Amino acid sequence: MDIFAPLDLSKEKQDSGIESTEKVRCLIIGSGPAGYTAAIYAARANLKPVLYTGLEMGGQLTTTTDVENYPGYPEGITGPEMMEHFRKQAERFGTDVRFGVVTGADFSGTEHVISVEDNKRIVADAVIIATGATAKYLGLEAEKKYAGMGVSACATCDGFFYKQKDVAVVGGGDTAAEEATYLAGLCNKVYLIVRRDVLRASKPMQAKVMNTPNIEILWEHQAVDLYGENGVEGAVLVRKKGTPEEATVKLKIDGFFLAIGHNPNSGIFKEYLETDPAGYIKTIPGTSKTNIPGVFAAGDVQDPHYRQAVTAAGSGCMAAIDAERYLSELHK
Ligand SMILES: Cc1cc2nc3c(=O)[nH]c(=O)nc-3n(C[C@H](O)[C@H](O)[C@H](O)COP(=O)(O)OP(=O)(O)OC[C@H]3O[C@@H](n4cnc5c(N)ncnc54)[C@H](O)[C@@H]3O)c2cc1C
């Protein structure tokens, strides 16, 4: 059977509003470091990958200025520039990069069916999901105003820019405790802003925070605003909100780090793919394989731990190699 033969679309078009169906060997969803790296490897392996970029072409790094920790750029590089390099490299080997959003998935058969923008259907032998994860914010207007100017959701990425400065971390779980202790190694002072009067973090992480001299926990505080001329100079906090002791306080800081979790962009695949309670797609350890043969996951969407460009790129490479091996078995 010619797997690239066009399908008869006339009936389904009438029935479902689907305007076209296309058969591809390897479909990649997402244009961050994971998706583009998967595309580079898949294209060089002659899998003729088609990649859908999603709304955020280039992924999360397009929202940041300096990337200083990606190997190969000794002087650093801006996020958007770096992702342009990724795209060009993927296209150089023949990746078909398309702007479009995947809106549905059906992994019930051996062929995997993906809907794009609700009117196009792709039937793929192998699918690589690299849809990333989105950091949660408090929802303050000021977080948008100071994005990249003192507000960050990644201490590993941005902590270096706050060396010897005073910063605050928002959150009370393991991630917040980890981010606070990481920043404490770089910064002069770290305030941990905790909504409740307890930490949700594990006991060992709590002990680490408590035993770090330059971390101060602000119990029962909530951040409600940020201020500053050309970047964050401080935060406005409410202490003991809703109690007779409620008070508004100002905290002078240079950086404001969110550590209240991430939303992995896995919702449309959840019916078929196993995820952890937070929604991260589960992969077989040491591989990019999901519970569905021929469906692979790479980057932040399957990584609750590292969430870095270089780890995303590394897992994109793994996914393409896993897909190539799967396809060569399939078409033996
Ligand atoms: C502000 C900021 C600064 C950062 N700085 C650094 C840094 O300095 N160094 C570092 O290593 N890491 C940094 N990171 C983290 C890094 O950006 C991520 O770890 C990395 O981008 C994850 O790559 P990814 O390919 O898994 O996903 P992402 O980069 O999140 O890309 C996901 C892609 O999936 C697409 N997508 C999502 N849903 C759909 C859909 N339904 N259909 C089609 N496409 C879809 C999106 O459009 C996007 O292209 C930073 C993150 C942020 C937010």
Side-chain angles (χ1 to χ4, degrees), residues 52-55 98-102 116-117:
Y52 277 94
T53 63
L55 288 179
R98 303 175 184 174
F99 186 79
V101 176
V102 168
V116 181
E117 315 275 0

Side-chain angles (χ1 to χ4, degrees), residues 29-35 52-61 63-64 66-69 100-103 130-133 137 154 157-158 265 268 298-301 307-310 312:
I29 310 171
S31 56
Y52 277 94
T53 63
L55 288 179
E56 196 173 46
M57 191 166 181
Q60 292 172 59
L61 282 183
T63 65
T64 191
D66 298 324
V67 180
E68 294 193 333
N69 54 9
V101 176
V102 168
T103 49
T131 46
Y137 288 83
C154 178
C157 311
D158 297 328
N265 301 317
I268 47 176
D300 285 11
V301 73
R307 290 190 298 256
Q308 291 295 291
V310 70

Side-chain angles (χ1 to χ4, degrees), residues 48-172:
K48 301 194 172 17
V50 170
L51 180 150
Y52 277 94
T53 63
L55 288 179
E56 196 173 46
M57 191 166 181
Q60 292 172 59
L61 282 183
T62 57
T63 65
T64 191
T65 47
D66 298 324
V67 180
E68 294 193 333
N69 54 9
Y70 198 88
Y73 295 102
E75 307 304 327
I77 182 162
T78 69
E81 246 185 300
M82 188 167 114
M83 294 319 298
E84 265 300 286
H85 293 175
F86 271 70
R87 182 183 58 76
K88 284 184 182 156
Q89 195 172 352
E91 284 181 334
R92 181 180 152 214
F93 298 110
T95 306
D96 183 351
V97 176
R98 303 175 184 174
F99 186 79
V101 176
V102 168
T103 49
D106 179 350
F107 297 149
S108 57
T110 44
E111 291 185 319
H112 308 305
V113 183
I114 294 289
S115 317
V116 181
E117 315 275 0
D118 291 328
N119 61 5
K120 183 173 175 76
R121 188 152 70 176
I122 307 271
V123 179
D125 287 332
V127 176
I128 296 175
I129 299 170
T131 46
T134 311
K136 290 183 193 164
Y137 288 83
L138 296 171
L140 309 176
E141 269 307 307
E143 289 170 320
K144 289 186 204 147
K145 178 174 170 189
Y146 296 109
M149 296 163 65
V151 171
S152 170
C154 178
T156 314
C157 311
D158 297 328
F160 185 80
F161 302 116
Y162 297 90
K163 253 184 163 176
Q164 297 309 324
K165 295 190 171 172
D166 295 347
V167 299
V169 174
V170 180

